[in-house]
Amino acid sequence: MDTEAQHTERDRSSRPSDSEATSDTEGPEDRSRFALVSRVAEWLPGGRITLTALVCLVFLLLLNTFLLQPFHIPSGSMESGLRIGDRVLVNKLAYRFGAHPRRGDIVVFDGTGYFGDADYIKRVVGVGGDHVVCCDEKGRLQVNGRSVDETAFLYPGDAPSTVAFDVVVPDGTLFVLGDHRGDSSDSRDHLGDPGGGMIPVGDVIGRADWVVWPAGHWTHLVRPGAYARVPAADGAHG
C-alpha cells in the first residue's frame, strides 16, 4: 500500500472547504451584529429601507449639531454677496479649539437679548480691543487708526455708514455690520442698548463658509483682504 498517498488524502480531507473558511472568518460577533440588524429591520415598518433612512437622519442631525448648519438668508442686509433666499453652510467648528472670529468673517450668531429673538448673519468689523470709528475724512471705516476700503463687498451705492460712531470693542465681544449698510440693523442700531451693540463671542454659532443654494449662486465665502493691514489692538485677534 502506498503510505504516501494515504497521508496526502488524509491531509486533503482534514482541510475545511472554502465556504467554511469564509464563514469562520466572520466570527460570532459579526454574525450576531448582522442578526441584530436583521431583527431591527424586521421590526420596523418598511424594513431595511426605513432603517437606512433613520441612520441617515441621525447622521444629518449629528452633522447639524456639531459640524455644519444650514442657514437661510432672511433679509437683504448682506447683499449683494448674500441674497434673500440664499442658503449658506455655517462652519460650527471654525472657532473651536482656541480659534477666534477675525475681522472680515461672516458670522451667524444668536441675537437673543440684545438684537432680537432670532439668529442673525453679519460681517465682523471689530474684535475685542479694537477702536472702530466712522468715518474718516474720506468717509471710510477706520479700525485702530487704519482706514478700510470696503468697496469689494459693500453694497453698490452704500456709504460705510450714515451713522457716526466711535467705539472701543470690549474683550470677548464683536462689532458687526451688514454689507448692505442702508438695509441692515446691526451694531450701529444698538449702541445705546445694554451691551452697546456688541456681540458676545460665546453667542456666535459659527462662520458662514459656503453659499450652497441656489446652485447658480454656489460659492466659497472667503475673508476679504480689506482688513489685512489693520494693526491688532491689545487683546485683539485680528
Side-chain angles (χ1 to χ4, degrees):
M1 181 182 231
D2 192 342
T3 57
E4 183 176 350
Q6 286 182 329
H7 287 306
T8 301
E9 292 300 323
R10 189 179 300 113
D11 290 342
R12 286 177 182 169
S13 64
S14 64
R15 294 173 190 163
S17 66
D18 290 343
S19 60
E20 289 175 339
T22 301
S23 175
D24 288 344
T25 58
E26 290 181 357
E29 289 186 7
D30 291 333
R31 286 196 294 270
S32 99
R33 188 181 301 114
F34 292 135
L36 177 61
V37 170
S38 297
R39 285 198 297 270
V40 172
E42 290 173 1
W43 176 75
L44 289 171
R48 287 184 178 272
I49 295 177
T50 302
L51 180 60
T52 301
L54 287 175
V55 170
C56 292
L57 179 61
V58 170
F59 173 77
L60 290 175
L61 288 173
L62 291 173
L63 188 70
N64 183 73
T65 301
F66 299 106
L67 299 176
L68 298 170
Q69 178 177 329
F71 182 83
H72 171 264
I73 304 299
S75 73
S77 70
M78 288 297 293
E79 290 178 334
S80 54
L82 300 178
R83 304 171 300 188
I84 298 174
D86 281 357
R87 266 75 168 178
V88 299
L89 275 185
V90 179
N91 181 357
K92 301 180 77 170
L93 292 180
Y95 305 127
R96 302 285 178 89
F97 313 112
H100 301 271
R102 297 174 61 183
R103 304 180 203 97
D105 286 353
I106 298 175
V107 297
V108 173
F109 59 91
D110 180 3
T112 302
Y114 43 88
F115 264 49
D117 296 333
D119 293 341
Y120 294 81
I121 185 166
K122 304 292 177 187
R123 189 180 298 277
V124 176
V125 300
V127 298
D130 280 349
H131 182 199
V132 186
V133 177
C134 196
C135 294
D136 67 8
E137 66 279 0
K138 294 185 179 180
R140 297 171 299 184
L141 195 73
Q142 196 174 71
V143 183
N144 299 335
R146 173 77 66 174
S147 296
V148 180
D149 182 2
E150 301 179 286
T151 54
F153 52 86
L154 199 64
Y155 187 78
D158 269 9
S161 181
T162 57
V163 177
F165 53 83
D166 186 334
V167 298
V168 174
V169 184
D171 288 341
T173 67
L174 307 170
F175 189 83
V176 298
L177 298 175
D179 288 352
H180 191 351
R181 303 286 160 82
D183 191 28
S184 175
S185 178
D186 45 43
S187 289
R188 299 169 299 168
D189 297 278
H190 299 275
L191 292 172
D193 296 346
M198 309 298 169
I199 307 304
V201 172
D203 288 338
V204 172
I205 296 169
R207 183 182 66 211
D209 279 354
W210 298 88
V211 179
V212 294
W213 186 261
H217 200 205
W218 184 94
T219 187
H220 182 208
L221 300 172
V222 298
R223 184 182 302 114
Y227 297 93
R229 298 179 62 189
V230 173
D234 292 339
H237 302 274

